[in-house]
Amino acid sequence: MWFDGGIHAREWVSPATATYMLMELVENDADHPDLTENLDWYILPVVNPDGYLYTQTNERLWRKTRSPNGGGCFGADANRNFGFHWGTGGSSDNPCADTYMGSAPFSEVETQNVRDWLTKNKDMIKFYNNIHSYSQLVLLPWGWGYDQPDNYDDLYQMA
């Protein structure tokens, strides 16, 4: 079981929610043994630590990572930097845009680290949840198009 938060730096409640969920699993494990006795949990509260820190010290509404892009622009939208359907679904190729997808799939160290860990441990991961704090929506895969996936009903029920 994997969940992470803080992929968008300015969504401060996302890491707090991930940390709260971790606390609930650890401190109240007797209340939900079905979640703790036979499942391994992997939790990354902050996917984008450099961007998260930058929102606390420099620019509160910063969204992206902090890698230099040249021309005075920094970072990529880590949420749009993964390889699957990279460059589609509302991403930008403008390095200064909030939705900049990066120079290449997995160009950001943050997405490389998530990819590498998940790929190495893919046989152990039964669930993946990326926590955001904007729009009060539950987004189901895949966000790159409008066609519902074949297992939409299962995904919706799980959410």
Side-chain angles (χ1 to χ4, degrees):
M1 309 300 279
W2 167 284
F3 64 84
D4 62 50
I7 198 166
H8 288 144
R10 64 186 174 202
E11 297 179 11
W12 286 3
V13 76
S14 173
T17 301
T19 305
Y20 176 81
M21 291 168 65
L22 170 60
M23 181 191 73
E24 181 64 28
L25 283 169
V26 172
E27 292 183 3
N28 297 312
D29 63 322
D31 293 342
H32 34 68
D34 56 319
L35 296 177
T36 57
E37 290 180 2
N38 296 311
L39 297 172
D40 293 323
W41 289 86
Y42 303 94
I43 300 156
L44 181 59
V46 183
V47 173
N48 179 8
D50 294 341
Y52 185 57
L53 177 62
Y54 190 76
T55 65
Q56 296 171 10
T57 58
N58 294 78
E59 187 177 334
R60 171 62 184 94
L61 294 179
W62 186 259
R63 172 184 171 112
K64 303 186 295 182
T65 62
R66 292 295 302 155
S67 56
N69 294 328
C73 298
F74 290 85
D77 180 349
N79 199 52
R80 290 170 168 80
N81 190 242
F82 288 89
F84 187 76
H85 284 264
W86 179 78
T88 61
S91 59
S92 174
D93 60 0
N94 176 352
C96 296
D98 271 351
T99 57
Y100 177 55
M101 61 192 168
S103 60
F106 301 107
S107 61
E108 305 304 294
V109 67
E110 296 86 352
T111 57
Q112 292 169 24
N113 288 336
V114 170
R115 175 203 58 200
D116 293 350
W117 195 92
L118 289 172
T119 300
K120 179 181 174 187
N121 297 286
K122 66 183 176 190
D123 294 331
M124 297 186 320
I125 303 299
K126 306 299 180 212
F127 172 82
Y128 179 102
N129 187 17
N130 177 258
I131 302 167
H132 289 264
S133 66
Y134 183 76
S135 296
Q136 299 180 13
L137 299 173
V138 175
L139 303 175
L140 304 175
W142 301 105
W144 50 267
Y146 293 99
D147 294 333
Q148 290 183 353
D150 293 338
N151 63 344
Y152 173 81
D153 291 335
D154 295 333
L155 291 169
Y156 189 80
Q157 186 176 19
M158 172 77 76

